[in-house]
Amino acid sequence: MIIQSFTFNPFQTNCYVCADGRSAVVIDPASADETEHRRVLDYIADEGLVVEQVLLTHAHVDHIFGLARVCQELEVPFSMHREDVPLLEHAEEQARLFGVDIDSPPSPGSSLGESDEVTVGETTLRVLHTPGHSPGSISFFNAKEKVVLCGDVLFSGSIGRTDLWKGSLPVLMQSVFQKLVPLGSDVRVLSGHGPETTIERELATNPFLTDRNYRPA
């Protein structure tokens, strides 16, 4: 699987195009203006990729700026966890809170939950429900290549904020220690913001993982 990352919008959100052969998915279409839309769409066209669907790790506004445009341009549906649908339905209110604009997003084509699988060519992405940053946050894990795309659950040196709608620090830490850490120390972590990291590096250096006060009981 080839994973191409893009960093878009004022919040510096990572968008990923994951491809196996010509088959591809877009994870978190974060592009916020025409120049950014064209970067991801032109990459898809130039590589001859056939995007089969768009996937959301969660529905905070910075991860869905390009959702309407990308789905329309590529004529594909998108999938997400049902518990984040209220966030999607209030996307324009989210945008106003942060002083930005967003195109009204479409409705999801399907729902994804724990242990569901998304097929990209010969590659399988297993869905992990990893709430805490938002109630419907999900991560996508490929066991063969030992990589997890986890949205805003875990960052290099930090974790996702928990002061937004239905965020919870204890729940987030459960997601980290019960869902991500058991994947293995050599697993690559591709986050919603910032650089790539590994489970091993975060266990050794991330203050939220090294401080026992944050560990779930």
Side-chain angles (χ1 to χ4, degrees):
M1 180 172 65
I2 296 173
I3 303 176
Q4 177 65 45
S5 65
F6 301 87
T7 303
F8 290 140
N9 72 53
F11 303 94
Q12 295 292 283
T13 306
N14 294 329
C15 164
Y16 298 96
V17 178
C18 303
D20 185 345
R22 294 188 64 213
S23 298
V25 294
V26 176
I27 298 180
D28 291 348
S31 52
D33 58 33
E34 185 59 27
T35 298
E36 293 184 344
H37 297 327
R38 289 268 43 106
R39 279 184 60 201
V40 66
L41 292 170
D42 288 349
Y43 170 79
I44 290 165
D46 291 345
E47 295 298 316
L49 300 178
V50 178
V51 173
E52 294 161 358
Q53 63 176 317
V54 172
L55 308 173
L56 298 186
T57 61
H58 64 293
H60 283 151
V61 65
D62 54 322
H63 290 253
I64 62 171
F65 275 118
L67 183 61
R69 176 61 186 279
V70 169
C71 287
Q72 180 181 33
E73 180 95 4
L74 298 176
E75 299 182 338
V76 294
F78 75 95
S79 301
M80 62 181 291
H81 196 282
R82 57 184 174 78
E83 289 191 35
D84 263 19
V85 169
L87 280 170
L88 185 78
E89 293 173 341
H90 292 85
E92 290 165 293
E93 292 176 39
Q94 287 191 66
R96 284 195 294 272
L97 274 174
F98 290 100
V100 294
D101 296 317
I102 188 172
D103 292 333
S104 181
S107 298
S110 60
S111 177
L112 292 171
E114 180 71 23
S115 298
D116 283 344
E117 294 184 344
V118 177
T119 301
V120 187
E122 299 297 319
T123 296
T124 298
L125 298 174
R126 179 161 61 91
V127 177
L128 308 172
H129 184 207
T130 48
H133 178 63
S134 74
S137 286
I138 53 177
S139 300
F140 299 96
F141 176 55
N142 177 245
K144 181 179 179 181
E145 300 192 21
K146 297 183 178 181
V147 61
V148 63
L149 298 101
C150 66
D152 290 1
V153 178
L154 179 65
F155 301 134
S156 175
S158 191
I159 57 172
R161 62 189 294 183
T162 56
D163 59 338
L164 300 174
W165 179 75
K166 288 196 174 183
S168 168
L169 180 58
V171 172
L172 180 63
M173 297 314 297
Q174 285 182 340
S175 291
V176 170
F177 280 101
Q178 296 176 8
K179 297 293 182 69
L180 299 186
V181 169
L183 298 178
S185 61
D186 56 346
V187 166
R188 297 162 55 207
V189 177
L190 303 184
S191 305
H193 302 271
E196 177 179 328
T197 186
T198 64
I199 296 294
E200 181 178 39
R201 186 179 304 144
E202 297 316 299
L203 284 171
T205 63
N206 190 318
F208 292 94
L209 277 64
T210 58
D211 189 334
R212 292 185 179 277
N213 290 323
Y214 290 108
R215 296 201 176 200

